[in-house]
Amino acid sequence: MVVHGDNWKKKQVEGDLKRICQYELKLMDGAPFERYTFILHIGKGSGGGGMEHANSTAIGVYSDEYLPSVAAHEFFHLWNVKRIRPASLDPVDIRRSNTRALSGLRKA
């Protein structure tokens, strides 16, 4: 993990991330990566939320108490969306709209 922030507890953050990773890795029967990095922005001005990537995630939270829920959500995206997704989303062609993926959506 890489942390930018103030007023966070190293042992708490490490313990939270370790527990989350162990649980989700067991749930999904292994890791789809060789190395994974949590990039954390903790404290005032850090915003709220995260963005997952194939082998890392960037998370911004106001304090370390909000980190577990965001980290668990973003880490799970390693499988759900990044590696497991409807066949209609592949292959990705950024030059045009994916009408096959959108055709199954209905207006509420």
Side-chain angles (χ1 to χ4, degrees), residues 17-30:
L17 294 179
K18 182 177 181 180
R19 209 168 34 260
I20 290 164
C21 292
Q22 286 176 335
Y23 178 82
E24 291 187 16
L25 289 168
K26 183 178 179 184
L27 179 70
M28 299 306 286
D29 198 27

Side-chain angles (χ1 to χ4, degrees), residues 1-2 8 44-45 47 54 67 75 83 93:
M1 74 180 180
V2 177
W8 58 282
K44 295 178 183 175
L67 180 62
F75 191 65
R83 291 171 173 88
D93 183 353

